[in-house]
Amino acid sequence: MTDFDVRVLAPDQLREAQTLVRRALFNTAPTDEEWAGLTFAPDRYLGAVSDGSVVGTTYTFPSSIAVPGGNVVPMSAVSRVGVRADHRRRGILTELMRLQFADARQHGESIATLHASETSIYSRFGYGISTFASELTVRRGSLRPEVPKAGHVRLLDADEAIKTLPGLYERIGLHRPGMMSRGADWWPTFGRWKNPWVVVHTGPAGDDGFVVYTNEPMANADNPDHDNRLVVVDMHAANPAATNGMWRYLLGVDLVGEIQAHSLPTDNPVGLLLADPRKCRGNVADELWVRLVDVPDALAARSYGDADPVVIQVEDRFLPENSGTYGIASSGAVRVTGQPALVMDVDSLAMIYFGSVRPSALADAGRVRVVDADSVARADKLFACEQIAWCGTPF
Ligand SMILES: CC(=O)SCCNC(=O)CCNC(=O)[C@H](O)C(C)(C)COP(=O)(O)OP(=O)(O)OC[C@H]1O[C@@H](n2cnc3c(N)ncnc32)[C@H](O)[C@@H]1OP(=O)(O)O
């Protein structure tokens, strides 16, 4: 017996919902000005309501995501998950997740993704870490002289930026698995960055990259220079020359003590561009958490490497209709009957889906049960992906 109902929130409940989620994340409630700038995909803000008050929320906007092999498939981009502090641990998020997956299926979205505030929340609902990103800090770095120079950069003001970037992002394209479309539901959230600097790179074929960064003063009693920290929050490039050009620009900005870059692809070239690679320190963090909401559809959407087939058994306690055996072959993936060679939970399947983690690594870690030892190397080849997956879009 629960004392709450989960449902699609009505438009007049959205500000209460937005206030709840901001406060759940220890942020302030939206001001009138902030609220006026927010838009939401219709009927995708879900809530738990108790005694007439919104006590839990989750939202999704429809997007699409590139999967290995180049297909781009409908995807639920999940955010704004929060339960009021006095209503936690009584199953509200669990029921919201159940409703959200049903809603995703109704919209034909076989994949759901999110960025997690904590790693302890989402595995139980079948999400696994599917892409990773580099977080870098460059302290007083300089570019190696031989880095090729081609093209130029220009600074945009806020109005120019919002006119230019949507088209430029589309032109750059979803060229890695894990990259997602940024439609009309994403671009209004660009306002999350206060006073951003926006720089566009132009190469021989036109605009081909952009970087968005903010700055924070670093000066203090021990550091009286007017140094700033540049915080790169969004950076995309169509080609290496654009990446080089934007790093050339960033490293050349005056009054900068350090550059922090969030969420770069793990194969970013920054260390290779620097005269002293040790000026660049960083770590790799979990980026996109993925839920295969409709496992047969999601498995059929991606391509596979060249190896003899493997039968896997998927166990999905939260959405049992996904549980079953699947034949994975270089020609595709379908439901089959028969003995599995590998057995895994659906969150582990999400981890190997974009090729960021190898099945053998999960087997070594005890997360994939191996029935047929010969199948592990074949599964590695089938799920491998030449390009390193990366999303690169915060939401
Ligand atoms: C994509 C995003 O928006 S990320 C932002 C996520 N939101 C936040 O971090 C805001 C602060 N946290 C919250 O609002 C809440 O704690 C939530 C939303 C994470 C969880 O909501 P709840 O309604 O308490 O979750 P619910 O009661 O359904 O919990 C289900 C299970 O998950 C566990 N669980 C839930 N949250 C956590 C957590 N943060 N850490 C560890 N375990 C958790 C519960 O203990 C429970 O386990 P059980 O089934 O073994 O009993």
Side-chain angles (χ1 to χ4, degrees), residues 315-343:
E315 293 178 350
D316 190 340
R317 277 175 290 278
F318 202 69
L319 298 176
E321 60 273 29
N322 284 321
S323 293
T325 45
Y326 296 86
I328 312 292
S330 45
S331 55
V334 286
R335 267 192 198 267
V336 292
T337 51
Q339 286 306 308
L342 301 173
V343 182

PDB file of all heavy atoms in Angstrom, residues 315-343:
ATOM      1  N   GLU A 315      19.484 -11.362 -18.142  1.00  0.00           N
ATOM      2  CA  GLU A 315      18.533 -11.413 -17.031  1.00  0.00           C
ATOM      3  C   GLU A 315      18.147  -9.993 -16.663  1.00  0.00           C
ATOM      4  O   GLU A 315      19.011  -9.146 -16.439  1.00  0.00           O
ATOM      5  CB  GLU A 315      19.168 -12.151 -15.852  1.00  0.00           C
ATOM      6  CG  GLU A 315      19.368 -13.610 -16.222  1.00  0.00           C
ATOM      7  CD  GLU A 315      20.035 -14.451 -15.165  1.00  0.00           C
ATOM      8  OE1 GLU A 315      20.546 -13.884 -14.175  1.00  0.00           O
ATOM      9  OE2 GLU A 315      20.075 -15.686 -15.348  1.00  0.00           O
ATOM     10  N   ASP A 316      16.842  -9.742 -16.681  1.00  0.00           N
ATOM     11  CA  ASP A 316      16.347  -8.383 -16.438  1.00  0.00           C
ATOM     12  C   ASP A 316      15.241  -8.469 -15.396  1.00  0.00           C
ATOM     13  O   ASP A 316      14.091  -8.772 -15.708  1.00  0.00           O
ATOM     14  CB  ASP A 316      15.820  -7.789 -17.760  1.00  0.00           C
ATOM     15  CG  ASP A 316      15.504  -6.296 -17.630  1.00  0.00           C
ATOM     16  OD1 ASP A 316      15.327  -5.825 -16.486  1.00  0.00           O
ATOM     17  OD2 ASP A 316      15.435  -5.624 -18.670  1.00  0.00           O
ATOM     18  N   ARG A 317      15.615  -8.195 -14.151  1.00  0.00           N
ATOM     19  CA  ARG A 317      14.629  -8.339 -13.072  1.00  0.00           C
ATOM     20  C   ARG A 317      13.595  -7.210 -13.105  1.00  0.00           C
ATOM     21  O   ARG A 317      12.447  -7.405 -12.728  1.00  0.00           O
ATOM     22  CB  ARG A 317      15.339  -8.359 -11.707  1.00  0.00           C
ATOM     23  CG  ARG A 317      15.875  -9.725 -11.346  1.00  0.00           C
ATOM     24  CD  ARG A 317      16.671  -9.710 -10.066  1.00  0.00           C
ATOM     25  NE  ARG A 317      17.937  -9.011 -10.253  1.00  0.00           N
ATOM     26  CZ  ARG A 317      19.033  -9.576 -10.788  1.00  0.00           C
ATOM     27  NH1 ARG A 317      18.989 -10.844 -11.172  1.00  0.00           N
ATOM     28  NH2 ARG A 317      20.131  -8.874 -10.928  1.00  0.00           N
ATOM     29  N   PHE A 318      13.987  -6.029 -13.576  1.00  0.00           N
ATOM     30  CA  PHE A 318      13.062  -4.882 -13.521  1.00  0.00           C
ATOM     31  C   PHE A 318      12.079  -4.880 -14.694  1.00  0.00           C
ATOM     32  O   PHE A 318      10.922  -4.496 -14.534  1.00  0.00           O
ATOM     33  CB  PHE A 318      13.872  -3.573 -13.489  1.00  0.00           C
ATOM     34  CG  PHE A 318      13.094  -2.420 -12.911  1.00  0.00           C
ATOM     35  CD1 PHE A 318      12.754  -2.387 -11.567  1.00  0.00           C
ATOM     36  CD2 PHE A 318      12.683  -1.374 -13.718  1.00  0.00           C
ATOM     37  CE1 PHE A 318      12.017  -1.334 -11.033  1.00  0.00           C
ATOM     38  CE2 PHE A 318      11.951  -0.316 -13.203  1.00  0.00           C
ATOM     39  CZ  PHE A 318      11.620  -0.294 -11.853  1.00  0.00           C
ATOM     40  N   LEU A 319      12.542  -5.307 -15.871  1.00  0.00           N
ATOM     41  CA  LEU A 319      11.664  -5.419 -17.045  1.00  0.00           C
ATOM     42  C   LEU A 319      11.792  -6.852 -17.563  1.00  0.00           C
ATOM     43  O   LEU A 319      12.516  -7.121 -18.535  1.00  0.00           O
ATOM     44  CB  LEU A 319      12.070  -4.412 -18.136  1.00  0.00           C
ATOM     45  CG  LEU A 319      11.984  -2.926 -17.782  1.00  0.00           C
ATOM     46  CD1 LEU A 319      12.508  -2.060 -18.930  1.00  0.00           C
ATOM     47  CD2 LEU A 319      10.549  -2.522 -17.459  1.00  0.00           C
ATOM     48  N   PRO A 320      11.117  -7.817 -16.907  1.00  0.00           N
ATOM     49  CA  PRO A 320      11.370  -9.238 -17.199  1.00  0.00           C
ATOM     50  C   PRO A 320      11.087  -9.631 -18.643  1.00  0.00           C
ATOM     51  O   PRO A 320      11.597 -10.655 -19.104  1.00  0.00           O
ATOM     52  CB  PRO A 320      10.441  -9.983 -16.237  1.00  0.00           C
ATOM     53  CG  PRO A 320       9.724  -8.967 -15.442  1.00  0.00           C
ATOM     54  CD  PRO A 320      10.146  -7.601 -15.835  1.00  0.00           C
ATOM     55  N   GLU A 321      10.291  -8.826 -19.350  1.00  0.00           N
ATOM     56  CA  GLU A 321      10.004  -9.168 -20.760  1.00  0.00           C
ATOM     57  C   GLU A 321      11.273  -9.156 -21.608  1.00  0.00           C
ATOM     58  O   GLU A 321      11.297  -9.732 -22.707  1.00  0.00           O
ATOM     59  CB  GLU A 321       8.946  -8.211 -21.355  1.00  0.00           C
ATOM     60  CG  GLU A 321       9.293  -6.747 -21.379  1.00  0.00           C
ATOM     61  CD  GLU A 321       8.936  -5.992 -20.086  1.00  0.00           C
ATOM     62  OE1 GLU A 321       8.925  -6.623 -19.001  1.00  0.00           O
ATOM     63  OE2 GLU A 321       8.700  -4.773 -20.172  1.00  0.00           O
ATOM     64  N   ASN A 322      12.331  -8.515 -21.117  1.00  0.00           N
ATOM     65  CA  ASN A 322      13.605  -8.515 -21.853  1.00  0.00           C
ATOM     66  C   ASN A 322      14.429  -9.777 -21.601  1.00  0.00           C
ATOM     67  O   ASN A 322      15.390 -10.056 -22.338  1.00  0.00           O
ATOM     68  CB  ASN A 322      14.471  -7.326 -21.429  1.00  0.00           C
ATOM     69  CG  ASN A 322      13.984  -6.021 -22.024  1.00  0.00           C
ATOM     70  OD1 ASN A 322      13.559  -5.983 -23.177  1.00  0.00           O
ATOM     71  ND2 ASN A 322      14.050  -4.943 -21.242  1.00  0.00           N
ATOM     72  N   SER A 323      14.116 -10.488 -20.516  1.00  0.00           N
ATOM     73  CA  SER A 323      14.939 -11.646 -20.155  1.00  0.00           C
ATOM     74  C   SER A 323      14.820 -12.709 -21.244  1.00  0.00           C
ATOM     75  O   SER A 323      13.754 -12.901 -21.829  1.00  0.00           O
ATOM     76  CB  SER A 323      14.468 -12.243 -18.819  1.00  0.00           C
ATOM     77  OG  SER A 323      14.725 -11.326 -17.783  1.00  0.00           O
ATOM     78  N   GLY A 324      15.912 -13.387 -21.524  1.00  0.00           N
ATOM     79  CA  GLY A 324      15.875 -14.438 -22.539  1.00  0.00           C
ATOM     80  C   GLY A 324      17.238 -14.623 -23.160  1.00  0.00           C
ATOM     81  O   GLY A 324      18.232 -14.017 -22.728  1.00  0.00           O
ATOM     82  N   THR A 325      17.277 -15.486 -24.174  1.00  0.00           N
ATOM     83  CA  THR A 325      18.549 -15.753 -24.847  1.00  0.00           C
ATOM     84  C   THR A 325      18.547 -15.077 -26.211  1.00  0.00           C
ATOM     85  O   THR A 325      17.514 -15.024 -26.904  1.00  0.00           O
ATOM     86  CB  THR A 325      18.803 -17.265 -25.011  1.00  0.00           C
ATOM     87  OG1 THR A 325      17.609 -17.865 -25.468  1.00  0.00           O
ATOM     88  CG2 THR A 325      19.245 -17.897 -23.723  1.00  0.00           C
ATOM     89  N   TYR A 326      19.708 -14.551 -26.575  1.00  0.00           N
ATOM     90  CA  TYR A 326      19.877 -13.803 -27.822  1.00  0.00           C
ATOM     91  C   TYR A 326      21.102 -14.337 -28.551  1.00  0.00           C
ATOM     92  O   TYR A 326      22.149 -14.566 -27.927  1.00  0.00           O
ATOM     93  CB  TYR A 326      20.074 -12.309 -27.526  1.00  0.00           C
ATOM     94  CG  TYR A 326      18.866 -11.666 -26.863  1.00  0.00           C
ATOM     95  CD1 TYR A 326      18.712 -11.706 -25.470  1.00  0.00           C
ATOM     96  CD2 TYR A 326      17.874 -11.050 -27.622  1.00  0.00           C
ATOM     97  CE1 TYR A 326      17.593 -11.136 -24.861  1.00  0.00           C
ATOM     98  CE2 TYR A 326      16.753 -10.485 -27.020  1.00  0.00           C
ATOM     99  CZ  TYR A 326      16.622 -10.530 -25.643  1.00  0.00           C
ATOM    100  OH  TYR A 326      15.510  -9.976 -25.052  1.00  0.00           O
ATOM    101  N   GLY A 327      20.937 -14.529 -29.841  1.00  0.00           N
ATOM    102  CA  GLY A 327      22.074 -14.935 -30.661  1.00  0.00           C
ATOM    103  C   GLY A 327      22.728 -13.685 -31.237  1.00  0.00           C
ATOM    104  O   GLY A 327      22.058 -12.881 -31.886  1.00  0.00           O
ATOM    105  N   ILE A 328      24.022 -13.530 -30.960  1.00  0.00           N
ATOM    106  CA  ILE A 328      24.754 -12.362 -31.456  1.00  0.00           C
ATOM    107  C   ILE A 328      25.693 -12.865 -32.552  1.00  0.00           C
ATOM    108  O   ILE A 328      26.536 -13.734 -32.303  1.00  0.00           O
ATOM    109  CB  ILE A 328      25.602 -11.696 -30.335  1.00  0.00           C
ATOM    110  CG1 ILE A 328      24.768 -11.503 -29.050  1.00  0.00           C
ATOM    111  CG2 ILE A 328      26.216 -10.395 -30.824  1.00  0.00           C
ATOM    112  CD1 ILE A 328      23.656 -10.507 -29.133  1.00  0.00           C
ATOM    113  N   ALA A 329      25.536 -12.311 -33.745  1.00  0.00           N
ATOM    114  CA  ALA A 329      26.354 -12.746 -34.883  1.00  0.00           C
ATOM    115  C   ALA A 329      26.776 -11.516 -35.668  1.00  0.00           C
ATOM    116  O   ALA A 329      26.185 -10.439 -35.511  1.00  0.00           O
ATOM    117  CB  ALA A 329      25.545 -13.691 -35.772  1.00  0.00           C
ATOM    118  N   SER A 330      27.761 -11.698 -36.549  1.00  0.00           N
ATOM    119  CA  SER A 330      28.196 -10.533 -37.332  1.00  0.00           C
ATOM    120  C   SER A 330      27.064 -10.038 -38.238  1.00  0.00           C
ATOM    121  O   SER A 330      27.033  -8.879 -38.624  1.00  0.00           O
ATOM    122  CB  SER A 330      29.455 -10.851 -38.133  1.00  0.00           C
ATOM    123  OG  SER A 330      29.322 -12.089 -38.737  1.00  0.00           O
ATOM    124  N   SER A 331      26.077 -10.910 -38.521  1.00  0.00           N
ATOM    125  CA  SER A 331      24.951 -10.479 -39.363  1.00  0.00           C
ATOM    126  C   SER A 331      23.854  -9.787 -38.558  1.00  0.00           C
ATOM    127  O   SER A 331      22.912  -9.244 -39.127  1.00  0.00           O
ATOM    128  CB  SER A 331      24.359 -11.699 -40.062  1.00  0.00           C
ATOM    129  OG  SER A 331      24.014 -12.667 -39.090  1.00  0.00           O
ATOM    130  N   GLY A 332      23.900  -9.825 -37.216  1.00  0.00           N
ATOM    131  CA  GLY A 332      22.873  -9.172 -36.415  1.00  0.00           C
ATOM    132  C   GLY A 332      22.562  -9.951 -35.151  1.00  0.00           C
ATOM    133  O   GLY A 332      23.217 -10.955 -34.848  1.00  0.00           O
ATOM    134  N   ALA A 333      21.553  -9.469 -34.405  1.00  0.00           N
ATOM    135  CA  ALA A 333      21.209 -10.098 -33.125  1.00  0.00           C
ATOM    136  C   ALA A 333      19.712 -10.360 -33.082  1.00  0.00           C
ATOM    137  O   ALA A 333      18.919  -9.480 -33.405  1.00  0.00           O
ATOM    138  CB  ALA A 333      21.608  -9.179 -31.974  1.00  0.00           C
ATOM    139  N   VAL A 334      19.344 -11.579 -32.686  1.00  0.00           N
ATOM    140  CA  VAL A 334      17.925 -11.956 -32.592  1.00  0.00           C
ATOM    141  C   VAL A 334      17.719 -12.850 -31.375  1.00  0.00           C
ATOM    142  O   VAL A 334      18.659 -13.462 -30.878  1.00  0.00           O
ATOM    143  CB  VAL A 334      17.430 -12.726 -33.845  1.00  0.00           C
ATOM    144  CG1 VAL A 334      17.258 -11.818 -35.039  1.00  0.00           C
ATOM    145  CG2 VAL A 334      18.353 -13.890 -34.165  1.00  0.00           C
ATOM    146  N   ARG A 335      16.470 -12.903 -30.937  1.00  0.00           N
ATOM    147  CA  ARG A 335      16.122 -13.854 -29.873  1.00  0.00           C
ATOM    148  C   ARG A 335      16.270 -15.278 -30.409  1.00  0.00           C
ATOM    149  O   ARG A 335      15.879 -15.541 -31.566  1.00  0.00           O
ATOM    150  CB  ARG A 335      14.669 -13.666 -29.478  1.00  0.00           C
ATOM    151  CG  ARG A 335      14.449 -12.713 -28.327  1.00  0.00           C
ATOM    152  CD  ARG A 335      13.017 -12.852 -27.850  1.00  0.00           C
ATOM    153  NE  ARG A 335      12.601 -11.718 -27.051  1.00  0.00           N
ATOM    154  CZ  ARG A 335      12.698 -11.676 -25.717  1.00  0.00           C
ATOM    155  NH1 ARG A 335      13.215 -12.683 -25.038  1.00  0.00           N
ATOM    156  NH2 ARG A 335      12.272 -10.608 -25.070  1.00  0.00           N
ATOM    157  N   VAL A 336      16.794 -16.169 -29.589  1.00  0.00           N
ATOM    158  CA  VAL A 336      16.950 -17.568 -29.988  1.00  0.00           C
ATOM    159  C   VAL A 336      16.561 -18.462 -28.814  1.00  0.00           C
ATOM    160  O   VAL A 336      16.343 -17.967 -27.694  1.00  0.00           O
ATOM    161  CB  VAL A 336      18.415 -17.896 -30.401  1.00  0.00           C
ATOM    162  CG1 VAL A 336      18.801 -17.179 -31.682  1.00  0.00           C
ATOM    163  CG2 VAL A 336      19.390 -17.559 -29.275  1.00  0.00           C
ATOM    164  N   THR A 337      16.485 -19.740 -29.059  1.00  0.00           N
ATOM    165  CA  THR A 337      16.366 -20.683 -27.945  1.00  0.00           C
ATOM    166  C   THR A 337      17.694 -21.439 -27.897  1.00  0.00           C
ATOM    167  O   THR A 337      18.470 -21.384 -28.843  1.00  0.00           O
ATOM    168  CB  THR A 337      15.212 -21.677 -28.184  1.00  0.00           C
ATOM    169  OG1 THR A 337      15.377 -22.238 -29.489  1.00  0.00           O
ATOM    170  CG2 THR A 337      13.862 -20.986 -28.092  1.00  0.00           C
ATOM    171  N   GLY A 338      17.928 -22.110 -26.804  1.00  0.00           N
ATOM    172  CA  GLY A 338      19.163 -22.897 -26.728  1.00  0.00           C
ATOM    173  C   GLY A 338      20.009 -22.469 -25.555  1.00  0.00           C
ATOM    174  O   GLY A 338      19.688 -21.516 -24.826  1.00  0.00           O
ATOM    175  N   GLN A 339      21.101 -23.190 -25.415  1.00  0.00           N
ATOM    176  CA  GLN A 339      21.989 -22.975 -24.266  1.00  0.00           C
ATOM    177  C   GLN A 339      22.828 -21.708 -24.442  1.00  0.00           C
ATOM    178  O   GLN A 339      23.432 -21.504 -25.494  1.00  0.00           O
ATOM    179  CB  GLN A 339      22.936 -24.170 -24.119  1.00  0.00           C
ATOM    180  CG  GLN A 339      22.275 -25.413 -23.558  1.00  0.00           C
ATOM    181  CD  GLN A 339      21.567 -25.130 -22.228  1.00  0.00           C
ATOM    182  OE1 GLN A 339      22.176 -24.577 -21.315  1.00  0.00           O
ATOM    183  NE2 GLN A 339      20.285 -25.443 -22.147  1.00  0.00           N
ATOM    184  N   PRO A 340      22.878 -20.860 -23.445  1.00  0.00           N
ATOM    185  CA  PRO A 340      23.734 -19.679 -23.560  1.00  0.00           C
ATOM    186  C   PRO A 340      25.204 -20.011 -23.290  1.00  0.00           C
ATOM    187  O   PRO A 340      25.510 -20.928 -22.534  1.00  0.00           O
ATOM    188  CB  PRO A 340      23.201 -18.764 -22.460  1.00  0.00           C
ATOM    189  CG  PRO A 340      22.677 -19.699 -21.424  1.00  0.00           C
ATOM    190  CD  PRO A 340      22.162 -20.912 -22.161  1.00  0.00           C
ATOM    191  N   ALA A 341      26.081 -19.229 -23.925  1.00  0.00           N
ATOM    192  CA  ALA A 341      27.511 -19.350 -23.638  1.00  0.00           C
ATOM    193  C   ALA A 341      27.925 -18.371 -22.544  1.00  0.00           C
ATOM    194  O   ALA A 341      28.884 -18.603 -21.808  1.00  0.00           O
ATOM    195  CB  ALA A 341      28.315 -19.073 -24.909  1.00  0.00           C
ATOM    196  N   LEU A 342      27.206 -17.225 -22.477  1.00  0.00           N
ATOM    197  CA  LEU A 342      27.496 -16.188 -21.480  1.00  0.00           C
ATOM    198  C   LEU A 342      26.179 -15.757 -20.850  1.00  0.00           C
ATOM    199  O   LEU A 342      25.168 -15.632 -21.553  1.00  0.00           O
ATOM    200  CB  LEU A 342      28.152 -14.968 -22.133  1.00  0.00           C
ATOM    201  CG  LEU A 342      29.467 -15.197 -22.875  1.00  0.00           C
ATOM    202  CD1 LEU A 342      29.889 -13.918 -23.612  1.00  0.00           C
ATOM    203  CD2 LEU A 342      30.567 -15.613 -21.889  1.00  0.00           C
ATOM    204  N   VAL A 343      26.195 -15.478 -19.556  1.00  0.00           N
ATOM    205  CA  VAL A 343      24.981 -15.047 -18.851  1.00  0.00           C
ATOM    206  C   VAL A 343      25.287 -13.715 -18.173  1.00  0.00           C
ATOM    207  O   VAL A 343      26.318 -13.584 -17.490  1.00  0.00           O
ATOM    208  CB  VAL A 343      24.566 -16.086 -17.779  1.00  0.00           C
ATOM    209  CG1 VAL A 343      23.286 -15.652 -17.077  1.00  0.00           C
ATOM    210  CG2 VAL A 343      24.400 -17.467 -18.410  1.00  0.00           C
TER     211      VAL A 343
END
